[in-house]
Amino acid sequence: MSATVRLTADQLEQAALLLLNEGIVAFPTETVFGLGGLATSEQAIQRIFQAKGRPSDNPLIVHLGSVEQLSQCAVDVPDLAWKFFDRFAPGPLTLVLPKHPSLAPSVTAGLSTVGVRIPQHPIAHALLQRVAKPIAAPSANRSGSPSGTTWRSVLEDLDHRIDAILCEDGCQIGLESTVLDLCHANPRLLRAGAISMAELQEVVGSKVRIEHRTNDLSGPVASPGMKHRHYRPRATVVLFDSPNELSALLKSMEPTSQAYIGLEAPGGCVAWADCSLQPSVEAYAASLFEYLRQADRHGVEVIFCQRVSSDGIGMALMDRLQRACEPISKE
Ligand code: TXA
Ligand code: MG
């Protein structure tokens, strides 16, 4: 395929036309970059799966420009969904709802439900409003790699595999949206994100169940994304709690090319290939994926990442850190 066309913010019309003509286009959102395609076009959706190398049993999130378009992709929308969208749309929240029959079957990987999100990033918002049709968009990275939070990282994975990219950054949050399943008697959290447990519970008025990830790849799971390999850089990721624990770890390991990211200074006299001190959990979350990618570019062998407490976005950050250091299971 020819090189991916690089578009700027004043070329939104071109991006919208490509999408309407069943092309696939990467665009920034406030979480991570998405790789968009018309959710009613089986051809566009197949191309997204191919470009990403994504397992076909992992459904895509459908993106809208406004809640008024919800009837184009979901049916029997429960009252609770309206409450959530009133409070958090546009924003980093995906709701799993009963799907509309017009969606291409592979968008939902054969499930009867669809994940729906209304992004807040001005470019994503303007693009989706212009297209005025549901756009399926998984994170714009090769399957299994850290999600792309800069347009350069997206092209590193997807150049020549996708039609175009909107080359504007601004993925302020840096981790993917909170995914909440509203298709059961009680809401279930399928993926932690920037909308925290406490905020979700305020809307529901009671506890929200957390659906835990599984290592059992054989049977059905609440969210297929839970069982697939995710967010893994080439380097080995090692987690630790305190600078003391880090010192002990370093003593027990052979010296190698190593990088550090965390909230506290690492201490000691280690020659770090890169050392990134983060001023807050939010800043750490926003930098993580690009940091993992950068370490790979520099040929780092081990990345030490400090754990954080799981309040607020800390829960999402811990989830991604945990997955980044898991041994690779078969897919
Ligand atoms: O922030 C985000 O959500 C980004 C941006 C681009 O919007 N998108 C994103 O998409 O992270 P993706 O495809 O990388 O992750 C979607 C997750 C997967 O874990 C998938 O299994 C789950 O959402 N999901 C999608 N539809 C679902 C459904 N109908 N039922 C359960 N889980 C679903
Ligand atoms: Mg993804």
Side-chain angles (χ1 to χ4, degrees):
M1 198 184 145
S2 49
T4 296
V5 177
R6 300 173 185 207
L7 301 172
T8 55
D10 55 8
Q11 292 174 302
L12 276 185
E13 188 60 40
Q14 208 172 318
L17 280 175
L18 275 167
L19 287 171
L20 288 167
N21 287 318
E22 302 179 278
I24 57 175
V25 179
F27 59 89
T29 84
E30 70 278 19
T31 58
V32 300
F33 269 77
L35 174 57
L38 208 54
T40 48
S41 160
E42 189 59 33
Q43 186 188 315
I45 303 310
Q46 285 305 331
R47 284 192 58 209
I48 290 178
F49 276 92
Q50 261 165 28
K52 280 184 61 87
R54 183 176 178 105
S56 59
D57 66 350
N58 197 3
L60 311 183
I61 292 174
V62 172
H63 295 65
L64 303 175
S66 72
V67 270
E68 284 74 49
Q69 294 168 358
L70 193 54
S71 59
Q72 292 186 47
C73 61
V75 294
D76 303 329
V77 176
D79 290 346
L80 196 53
W82 297 109
K83 272 198 192 174
F84 273 111
F85 278 141
D86 266 356
R87 170 102 190 255
F88 299 115
L93 178 67
T94 296
L95 296 180
V96 173
L97 300 168
K99 76 158 188 182
H100 191 284
S102 65
L103 297 180
S106 51
V107 169
T108 59
L111 298 177
S112 58
T113 59
V114 59
V116 184
R117 171 160 119 77
I118 301 164
Q120 191 171 35
H121 190 296
I123 301 278
H125 191 67
L127 178 66
L128 292 163
Q129 293 245 323
R130 205 168 281 224
V131 174
K133 294 200 168 160
I135 295 296
S139 53
N141 52 283
R142 290 282 289 167
S143 198
S145 303
S147 300
T149 51
T150 65
W151 64 265
R152 288 180 198 281
S153 288
V154 173
L155 281 180
E156 191 173 60
D157 276 19
L158 299 177
D159 200 6
H160 295 275
R161 293 176 168 269
I162 64 177
D163 297 311
I165 176 168
L166 276 159
C167 296
E168 300 287 330
D169 285 337
C171 301
Q172 256 179 306
I173 296 169
L175 302 179
E176 305 83 349
S177 62
T178 303
V179 180
L180 187 69
D181 183 356
L182 296 185
C183 290
H184 294 266
N186 296 310
R188 298 188 297 176
L189 180 72
L190 301 183
R191 182 175 71 186
I195 306 293
S196 68
M197 237 354 209
E199 287 173 301
L200 297 176
Q201 282 170 187
E202 261 175 46
V203 174
V204 182
S206 63
K207 280 218 174 290
V208 168
R209 205 171 106 199
I210 302 174
E211 199 64 44
H212 288 286
R213 282 183 293 124
T214 178
N215 289 323
D216 174 9
L217 304 187
S218 53
V221 292
S223 184
M226 289 176 158
K227 68 179 184 182
H228 291 295
R229 182 197 142 196
H230 265 102
Y231 318 121
R232 283 279 312 254
R234 279 193 298 279
T236 303
V237 172
V238 176
L239 306 187
F240 67 94
D241 285 308
S242 64
N244 279 347
E245 188 189 345
L246 174 66
S247 304
L249 275 171
L250 286 167
K251 277 188 198 133
S252 68
M253 290 170 68
E254 293 288 316
T256 178
S257 164
Q258 52 208 12
Y260 175 94
I261 184 165
L263 294 170
E264 289 175 281
C269 47
V270 176
W272 297 104
D274 191 62
C275 177
S276 177
L277 265 190
Q278 295 296 320
S280 65
V281 178
E282 287 72 20
Y284 189 172
S287 330
L288 179 71
F289 287 148
E290 190 57 25
Y291 191 77
L292 299 178
R293 285 177 169 271
Q294 188 68 12
D296 275 349
R297 285 178 203 126
H298 293 161
V300 166
E301 284 177 60
V302 183
I303 310 169
F304 290 93
C305 301
Q306 188 171 22
R307 291 196 184 90
V308 298
S309 83
S310 56
D311 307 323
I313 200 169
M315 185 175 174
L317 179 55
M318 278 310 301
D319 170 69
R320 307 314 190 265
L321 286 173
Q322 216 86 55
R323 293 197 194 204
C325 74
E326 271 166 12
I328 298 176
S329 51
K330 52 184 169 18
E331 202 164 72

